[in-house]
Amino acid sequence: MTQVIACIDGTDVSPAVCDYAAWASLRLTAPLEFLHVLDKSEYPTESNLSGNIGLGSRESLLDELAALDEQRGKLALEQGKLMLDAARQRAISQGIENPGSRQRHGNLVETLTEMERDIRLLVVGKHGSHLSQHIGSRLENVVRTLHRPILITTARFKTPERFMLAFDGSATTRKGVEMIASSPLLRDLPGHLVMVATDSAANREQLSGSQATLKQAGFDITTALVEGDVESVLCDYRYSHAIDLLIMGAYGHSVIRRFLVGSTTTSLIRNASVPILLLR
């Protein structure tokens, strides 16, 4: 059975990740599981320190350092278990029945790849300090590797009340429209389809067709076709219409989806004060 998977790491965004994951789990009526991955690069299962100390060093010192590393790893595992238990209790208090938890020692991307078949929605937090290049190395690798919807949260939870899809007329965003129409995640929320492109009959027709698809599914949809800089237009529109959830297609060759391989996306995700749902 597919489920909502929430990645927590004990940083200040983890409570918001828990809350957005619980919100999504209830909306989707899908099971929720919390995941904590202890990075093997930071906490190796075995330590070989012989190359770190010069000739003549005592063997007992090497043994002592190895024991300290082992103890550090055990403490990190125990801390992770406590975090998972706290996340479960937080979700239960919000109405989630029997949320699961999973702890792994390894690599986050590899772990999620192994779990991909079971993921309906992945929820991860945005760490501003880790966004110096692209959208953060681990987050970028997750987005590039997984073919599942990914919700990137902000540090504070706010129940989404209206959403905006950055629409470019591509096959990916048309598929995104179909995904939104068929999913209960955003049902009953007013939505906006915003296309940053030349005002032409062809573009208006594409917007109108996607609007009709969502209206047929019961959505109240507003469309906008605006010329200008993509990031500026989307940010200004989001602000002026009080949008609290931005939806984008992940990767590709269109103007909007090229965001995710360049500085524009880095800026958009870093500066966004709302969560971003990436569709694949």
Side-chain angles (χ1 to χ4, degrees):
M1 178 182 295
T2 58
Q3 54 193 338
V4 175
I5 300 294
C7 296
I8 60 172
D9 56 7
T11 59
D12 59 351
V13 301
S14 291
V17 170
C18 293
D19 294 344
Y20 276 109
W23 168 81
S25 174
L26 291 171
R27 299 281 300 188
L28 295 169
T29 60
L32 171 59
E33 181 170 81
F34 293 102
L35 172 68
H36 173 244
V37 178
L38 200 63
D39 196 309
K40 62 185 177 184
S41 65
E42 298 180 24
Y43 300 96
T45 52
E46 295 181 2
S47 297
N48 182 0
L49 301 172
S50 58
N52 296 336
I53 300 178
L55 295 175
S57 297
R58 293 179 301 173
E59 184 176 344
S60 60
L61 180 57
L62 294 177
D63 292 341
E64 185 177 346
L65 289 171
L68 287 173
D69 261 4
E70 182 180 359
Q71 181 64 18
R72 178 169 168 262
K74 288 180 178 179
L75 290 173
L77 285 170
E78 185 60 31
Q79 181 188 30
K81 291 176 182 177
L82 293 173
M83 286 191 299
L84 288 169
D85 184 60
R88 290 188 70 255
Q89 294 304 317
R90 189 181 184 101
I92 289 171
S93 71
Q94 297 176 36
I96 304 297
E97 293 186 8
N98 195 31
S101 64
R102 189 182 308 202
Q103 188 175 48
R104 291 290 183 270
H105 188 284
N107 176 275
L108 176 62
V109 175
E110 291 174 359
T111 300
L112 291 173
T113 300
E114 293 172 2
M115 299 171 60
E116 187 167 9
R117 287 187 179 183
D118 298 327
I119 298 175
R120 183 167 179 179
L121 174 68
L122 177 68
V123 184
V124 296
K126 179 181 70 173
H127 301 273
S129 61
H130 297 163
L131 294 174
S132 58
Q133 293 183 344
H134 298 298
I135 55 175
S137 57
R138 282 198 290 187
L139 178 55
E140 183 180 16
N141 288 336
V142 168
V143 173
R144 285 182 178 276
T145 304
L146 257 63
H147 291 80
R148 291 290 186 270
I150 301 174
L151 179 60
I152 303 173
T153 80
T154 49
R156 292 176 180 250
F157 173 76
K158 178 184 180 297
T159 303
E161 296 178 356
R162 54 187 61 82
F163 67 88
M164 176 177 76
L165 172 64
F167 183 82
D168 62 7
S170 65
T172 297
T173 49
R174 291 197 302 271
K175 180 181 178 182
V177 168
E178 295 172 359
M179 291 173 68
I180 293 170
S182 62
S183 171
L185 181 65
L186 305 175
R187 193 68 45 80
D188 302 325
L189 299 185
H192 296 250
L193 294 183
V194 181
M195 188 174 193
V196 185
T198 304
D199 190 346
S200 66
N203 286 335
R204 287 189 175 278
E205 183 179 355
Q206 290 196 77
L207 271 177
S208 178
S210 294
Q211 181 185 37
T213 298
L214 289 168
K215 281 191 171 183
Q216 188 174 6
F219 285 86
D220 177 15
I221 296 295
T222 301
T223 63
L225 179 57
V226 187
E227 297 185 26
D229 174 75
V230 177
E231 182 185 1
S232 297
V233 168
L234 293 178
C235 290
D236 290 346
Y237 190 96
R238 185 202 65 75
Y239 180 78
S240 62
H241 291 82
I243 304 295
D244 42 27
L245 178 63
L246 173 61
I247 306 174
M248 299 174 63
Y251 294 105
H253 302 289
S254 73
V255 174
I256 288 177
R257 284 175 289 127
R258 276 204 303 271
F259 274 172
L260 291 172
V261 289
S263 60
T264 307
T265 293
T266 306
S267 176
L268 184 66
I269 295 180
R270 181 191 291 119
N271 296 325
S273 57
V274 299
I276 298 178
L277 176 61
L278 300 176
L279 301 178
R280 298 300 298 266

